[in-house]
Amino acid sequence: MTEEPARGRMPDRPTLDGLEDRWGARWESDGTYRFEWVGGKRAQVFSIDTPPPTVSGELHMGHVFSFTHTDTVARFQRMRGKSVFYPMGWDDNGLPTERRVQNVFGVRCDPSLPYDPSWEPPEKAPKPAISISRRNFVELCGRLTADDEKAFEALWRRLGLSVDWGLTYTTIGREAQAVSQREFLHNLERGEAYSSEAPTLWDVGFQTAVAQAELEDRERPGAYHRLRFHGPEGPVEVETTRPELLPACVALVHHPSDERYAGLTSVRTPHFDVEVPVHAHPMAEPAKGTGIAMVCTFGDVTDVVWWRDLDLPTRVVIGRDGRFLPGGPFAGLTVNAARREMVRILTESGDLVGEPRQITHPVKFYENGDSPLEIVTSRQWFIRNGGRDRELREALLERGRELRWVPEHMRHRYEHWVNGLTGDWLISRQRFFGVPIPIWYRLDDAGEPDHSELLIPDQNSLPVDPSSECPPGFDESQRGKPGGFAADPDVMDTWATSSLTPQIVGGAHGDSVFPMDLRPQGQEIIRTWLFATIVRSHLEHGVLPWRTAVLSGWILDPDRKKMSKSKGNVVTPMDLLVQNGSDAVRYWAASGRPGTDLAFDPAQIKVGRRLATKLLNASKFALGLGAADALRQPVTEPLDRAVLAGLAEVVTTATRAFDAYQHTDALQASEAFFWTFCDDYIELVKERAYGTGPGADSGRAALAAGLSVLLRLFAPFLPFVAEEVWSWWRYGSVHRATWPTTYELSRVAPEGDASLLGLAGEALRQIRRAKSDRKLSMKAEVPLAEALGPAAVLDRLALVESDLKAAGRIGKLDRLPDRTPELVIACAF
């Protein structure tokens, strides 16, 4: 409270309209949120690992919800004197972007085609889609995402996010590619990254492998078919939902304790009459079906576990296109067609027992895919994540215990995921728009790649694109030739890049921002983004990437259902921001607590607009009384000291709440006091503040001090209106002002009794209620009022008697001690 007051900027008719455009431009030109670091202690920086939203879709209210939460923290920390490192990133590579490009432009990528530098997409997407080269396709992806990023930035600026736009990054940018490739090569050097020919989950639509973290179960209709295998002592019945995989059957398994199958060593398959072994395995479920299961290569992830544990042979029948392979049973058929054919054959042979039993069961899909996943054998790249290494798993669990979780119970989701891993992290994708795997392979004399002899780029040359650049010591004429080289055709999974966001955006700032202070994110990507980032930081740096993780809840529609595009209940944020004002929407978002679901409620947005409007009008009224001129006047009157003492309690509550990442508690405390400030204090003090003398100066000084503190308390939540009012009478930005402290208020108003304001406010409400009951104007005179209550209460009421009489238009106020437990005001008209 040491700044000189400014003059002459208060409008005649304050309005919320237009604040976003005016102040957004001003903040940008003034560099209000620019990260400034000239050296010093790490404790002076507060760094945020901002989630980069995927730009292949649209921002929704869930984004507004969670990003507003983060922004309140950033603004609070900045006002606490921290240099806030608050970047914005765009997650623009990956499958969703490719699919959108295919749909928007009517193209598909054919890596065998040559690059055409003059090619331009047709004005209207053709049907069927036209084929273009990989490089043309990637350029098209980049063009579309650049347009999307502009739209996203416009929305974030409208919302008032206090990010430093000079720190913006993309997950497909050159710096991100260089960091991703360098970290991958480090993993490779340490033996943490490896390639392997292994069964992998495969999306037949996108034609790519999928990681465990990207799976989701969807309920689909199916049927159990009971098949009759032939054992040495009679038939053995097996239930399966995938009879079409009978030609891929390599064993039967049962639980070691199941005596029904003790001694059974082999059976012969129906129709194909192939002998397969029978094994015991603890994952078999005696109570499921007949208690004995068919192991096929591969029907599901359990088949993979059994195949690996029991060292079984491989009989592959389904190709990467989702059809049965040539040269075998059902060649060229889809899975569903082969199933129908297999059922027909088994029915005719009598090896299908009874009718199929219809069920609904969970089927694994890629989270962005439309077809059930198959498991095919392919060569892929992996990073060790504890899925097959107990020691690493325990280390990552310990990292989770080191991390501060808000709310704390979210840590259990992390631990559940880590403990449920069944394999290492598959990071390669058979797609085009992504960070290339920075590897070439030497070709043998037959022109086949030797996967044991990797050709690795110089790290100073990163990023590289192996499909268009040559490895050290080779030239383009040797590409694809015996004795020459071939590029790894794959790109990295988008999470393999996003898991390095602290290194990508913070690399140039080093230890001044890393490890970072805060990771805000959605609860649904604990298993992907949060876990993957911990893995990469643990392997590369041996530390957590951040100190605290704050998790968001879901946004629900008014019927308490999760909002999603598929359900058609999504609300467009920009329309709401324009119609209601950004501060109103931010108020709604800030009403939700970390980790807690919040229903979308238009009425709550209207409450926020009413609050912002009241802040404008109450501030204009207080400043119109001359509050700005009294900023340094002493606060002497009991009521004035009481209001500032109550405000000091709010400052304590709000500060503790923000320190605990509980912004909602800070908002609720500030809002509740603000309405008391307006409805009680201003009404009680305004008659005195209109006057002259020490009492009037005291009232105006309290109004000035109260308004200054309230604007700063609201600044993280209602940044536009807080800045607008601040500009009427103070220099600089409220967002660069000092966060209020109790010491600041105690210097202005020592020894204040906060409860006195509540007592005076209650007395005024009773007087006004009496007038309302008689249908009188609030300006009507009350010749006599009698205050009844305990003597101690009446003695305290005497301290504010003059303000109460002026506000209530009371001619005479008698204080009558009696046995009434609480204050009662009786008015005589």
Side-chain angles (χ1 to χ4, degrees):
M1 301 183 64
T2 60
E3 299 164 272
E4 290 294 329
R7 305 291 184 190
R9 289 185 267 180
M10 185 164 62
D12 293 333
R13 294 176 177 269
T15 177
L16 299 177
D17 298 335
L19 295 186
E20 293 87 356
D21 291 336
R22 181 162 73 253
W23 286 112
R26 179 68 175 272
W27 292 334
E28 182 65 24
S29 64
D30 289 354
T32 304
Y33 308 125
R34 189 174 300 132
F35 175 65
E36 296 173 349
W37 181 247
V38 293
K41 296 181 180 179
R42 169 64 179 85
Q44 294 173 318
V45 172
F46 187 87
S47 54
I48 303 172
D49 184 16
T50 320
T54 302
V55 296
S56 58
E58 293 182 351
L59 291 172
H60 49 71
M61 291 308 292
H63 290 109
V64 170
F65 177 62
S66 58
F67 274 80
T68 298
H69 295 180
T70 305
D71 191 56
T72 64
V73 174
R75 291 180 178 277
F76 165 73
Q77 292 291 345
R78 194 177 288 113
M79 296 174 75
R80 287 289 290 274
K82 297 291 185 70
S83 184
V84 175
F85 184 80
Y86 188 15
M88 179 55 65
W90 308 123
D91 190 3
D92 40 16
N93 62 1
L95 294 174
T97 298
E98 291 191 20
R99 180 162 63 175
R100 187 155 179 258
V101 166
Q102 290 168 348
N103 293 335
V104 169
F105 294 106
V107 298
R108 62 184 180 87
C109 181
D110 184 349
S112 67
L113 294 177
Y115 172 62
D116 181 356
S118 63
W119 183 86
E120 288 290 332
E123 292 185 5
K124 184 178 180 181
K127 291 183 179 180
I130 59 176
S131 298
I132 60 176
S133 74
R134 174 174 181 159
R135 186 172 170 183
N136 286 123
F137 185 80
V138 169
E139 287 179 353
L140 207 54
C141 290
R143 182 188 305 186
L144 188 64
T145 54
D147 292 339
D148 291 339
E149 288 159 11
K150 292 176 184 176
F152 279 30
E153 181 176 334
L155 190 147
W156 283 151
R157 287 184 181 273
R158 180 83 187 192
L159 185 63
L161 296 190
S162 61
V163 303
D164 181 347
W165 290 102
L167 298 174
T168 303
Y169 66 95
T170 69
T171 58
I172 198 62
R174 286 188 61 81
E175 178 60 25
Q177 291 198 38
V179 170
S180 299
Q181 291 183 339
R182 182 170 57 249
E183 298 290 318
F184 169 80
L185 293 177
H186 290 175
N187 293 134
L188 186 62
E189 290 170 6
R190 295 190 297 262
E192 298 151 359
Y194 64 93
S195 69
S196 175
E197 184 84 20
T200 51
L201 290 158
W202 187 266
D203 187 289
V204 299
F206 281 114
Q207 286 289 290
T208 185
V210 175
Q212 183 180 352
E214 298 171 306
L215 307 183
E216 65 179 31
D217 287 337
R218 301 179 191 172
E219 291 293 324
R220 289 291 185 269
Y224 272 118
H225 303 77
R226 182 165 291 203
L227 278 54
R228 182 181 289 115
F229 284 69
H230 306 287
E233 297 182 4
V236 177
E237 295 182 355
V238 177
E239 282 197 345
T240 179
T241 60
R242 303 205 59 177
E244 73 279 6
L245 291 181
L246 184 61
C249 178
V250 291
L252 300 186
V253 294
H254 61 86
H255 195 272
S257 65
D258 195 335
E259 296 182 356
R260 290 175 294 177
Y261 304 108
L264 183 63
T265 59
S266 68
V267 295
R268 303 192 73 83
T269 62
H271 179 64
F272 298 104
D273 196 33
V274 175
E275 185 175 10
V276 296
V278 178
H279 294 282
H281 195 281
M283 285 182 63
E285 301 177 57
K288 184 176 181 179
T290 61
I292 192 166
M294 184 170 70
V295 183
C296 302
T297 52
F298 296 92
D300 57 25
V301 292
T302 307
D303 279 343
V304 177
V305 174
W306 283 331
W307 167 81
R308 184 182 295 125
D309 288 355
L310 300 172
D311 194 23
L312 298 173
T314 304
R315 294 185 186 133
V316 178
V317 295
I318 298 178
R320 296 185 182 188
D321 59 357
R323 294 179 178 271
F324 275 68
L325 293 171
F330 316 132
L333 293 185
T334 64
V335 167
N336 288 334
R339 183 177 303 149
R340 291 191 295 269
E341 180 63 12
M342 190 75 257
V343 169
R344 184 192 65 78
I345 292 171
L346 293 174
T347 300
E348 291 180 355
S349 68
D351 288 323
L352 182 68
V353 181
E355 292 294 321
R357 179 163 53 92
Q358 302 300 315
I359 60 168
T360 300
H361 63 147
V363 177
K364 295 201 178 299
F365 281 74
Y366 168 49
E367 58 189 0
N368 293 314
D370 301 318
S371 303
L373 294 174
E374 295 294 344
I375 297 179
V376 303
T377 299
S378 60
R379 179 165 290 277
Q380 303 290 343
W381 282 98
F382 299 84
I383 290 179
R384 303 188 191 280
N385 66 353
R388 301 173 68 180
D389 182 336
R390 181 177 296 276
E391 184 176 344
L392 178 56
R393 184 194 301 255
E394 289 302 320
L396 294 172
L397 288 170
E398 182 57 33
R399 291 291 180 210
R401 290 186 281 270
E402 292 175 22
L403 183 64
R404 177 186 181 187
W405 296 81
V406 181
E408 170 63 26
H409 71 263
M410 291 291 179
R411 177 171 59 86
H412 301 300
R413 300 192 184 190
Y414 172 86
E415 293 180 344
H416 178 76
W417 171 254
V418 177
N419 283 317
L421 290 169
T422 59
D424 287 328
W425 176 14
L426 191 158
I427 67 160
S428 48
R429 295 292 180 273
Q430 290 65 56
R431 300 302 297 174
F432 314 109
F433 190 53
V435 178
I437 301 288
I439 296 293
W440 298 266
Y441 306 100
R442 184 181 289 278
L443 299 181
D444 61 20
D445 293 340
E448 294 296 323
D450 183 353
H451 292 97
S452 67
E453 189 170 349
L454 306 182
L455 304 175
I456 299 174
D458 186 315
Q459 294 194 25
N460 293 325
S461 68
L462 302 176
V464 299
D465 180 4
S467 67
S468 59
E469 298 175 52
C470 302
F474 290 80
D475 59 47
E476 190 61 32
S477 67
Q478 296 171 282
R479 186 184 296 273
K481 303 293 179 59
F485 70 92
D488 190 299
D490 296 341
V491 297
M492 295 185 195
D493 163 29
T494 186
W495 295 113
T497 302
S498 296
S499 62
L500 297 169
T501 49
Q503 293 85 347
I504 292 169
V505 75
H509 303 277
D511 294 341
S512 65
V513 300
F514 184 86
M516 303 182 96
D517 294 279
L518 176 63
R519 156 60 73 84
Q521 66 161 70
Q523 57 185 302
E524 73 279 10
I525 50 175
I526 289 175
R527 73 188 193 278
T528 49
W529 192 37
L530 187 144
F531 173 64
T533 311
I534 289 179
V535 169
R536 303 303 291 277
S537 183
H538 173 79
L539 296 176
E540 183 71 17
H541 306 287
V543 297
L544 278 172
W546 357 260
R547 298 177 175 86
T548 301
V550 177
L551 287 305
S552 298
W554 301 109
I555 292 302
L556 311 177
D557 67 12
D559 295 327
R560 309 297 297 181
K561 296 177 181 177
K562 181 187 171 187
M563 281 190 169
S564 68
K565 282 194 246 180
S566 62
K567 295 179 180 178
N569 58 359
V570 171
V571 177
T572 303
M574 186 60 88
D575 292 343
L576 283 172
L577 294 171
V578 172
Q579 293 167 9
N580 300 279
S582 299
D583 283 341
V585 176
R586 288 174 64 101
Y587 171 86
W588 161 79
S591 300
R593 299 178 181 277
T596 303
D597 298 342
L598 180 69
F600 174 70
D601 184 0
Q604 190 75 350
I605 295 177
K606 292 179 181 178
V607 171
R609 185 171 178 86
R610 176 172 171 256
L611 174 63
T613 301
K614 185 67 173 180
L615 187 56
L616 277 180
N617 295 332
S619 300
K620 184 177 188 298
F621 179 79
L623 294 173
L625 291 174
D629 296 323
L631 191 60
R632 291 186 184 80
Q633 296 295 326
V635 178
T636 57
E637 297 299 309
L639 182 65
D640 304 335
R641 290 188 172 188
V643 71
L644 297 185
L647 190 52
E649 293 177 359
V650 176
V651 168
T652 297
T653 299
T655 304
R656 288 176 177 170
F658 267 120
D659 283 338
Y661 294 97
Q662 297 296 333
H663 58 270
T664 307
D665 290 339
L667 174 59
Q668 290 177 347
S670 302
E671 181 185 11
F673 184 86
F674 173 71
W675 289 112
T676 299
F677 182 82
C678 295
D679 297 342
D680 293 348
Y681 178 69
I682 288 180
E683 293 301 313
L684 285 161
V685 78
K686 66 182 180 182
E687 293 298 327
R688 172 160 50 90
Y690 274 124
T692 59
D697 289 342
S698 174
R700 289 192 290 266
L703 283 169
L707 182 58
S708 172
V709 169
L710 282 166
L711 289 173
R712 284 176 281 160
L713 288 173
F714 279 126
F717 307 103
L718 312 175
F720 293 103
V721 70
E723 188 76 293
E724 172 70 7
V725 174
W726 190 264
S727 74
W728 295 346
W729 64 305
R730 307 299 295 273
Y731 286 117
S733 170
V734 68
H735 304 297
R736 285 289 188 175
T738 303
W739 182 255
T741 64
T742 56
Y743 173 72
E744 165 189 336
L745 288 164
S746 67
R747 285 175 52 210
V748 176
E751 301 176 358
D753 177 4
S755 64
L756 190 60
L757 176 60
L759 179 66
E762 174 58 26
L764 181 61
R765 280 189 290 276
Q766 290 192 35
I767 293 167
R768 290 183 164 179
R769 191 179 305 124
K771 293 181 181 182
S772 178
D773 290 344
R774 289 165 177 76
K775 295 183 171 52
L776 298 174
S777 165
M778 292 300 110
K779 295 181 179 180
E781 297 291 331
V782 180
L784 173 66
E786 295 179 334
L788 296 79
V793 172
L794 297 182
D795 289 343
R796 293 173 60 238
L797 188 65
L799 298 174
V800 296
E801 181 175 329
S802 61
D803 289 327
L804 182 60
K805 290 172 67 176
R809 303 291 196 273
I810 299 171
K812 181 181 180 182
L813 177 64
D814 289 341
R815 299 187 301 279
L816 304 175
D818 69 0
R819 296 180 180 179
T820 304
E822 298 177 350
L823 177 68
V824 176
I825 304 292
C827 296
F829 294 94

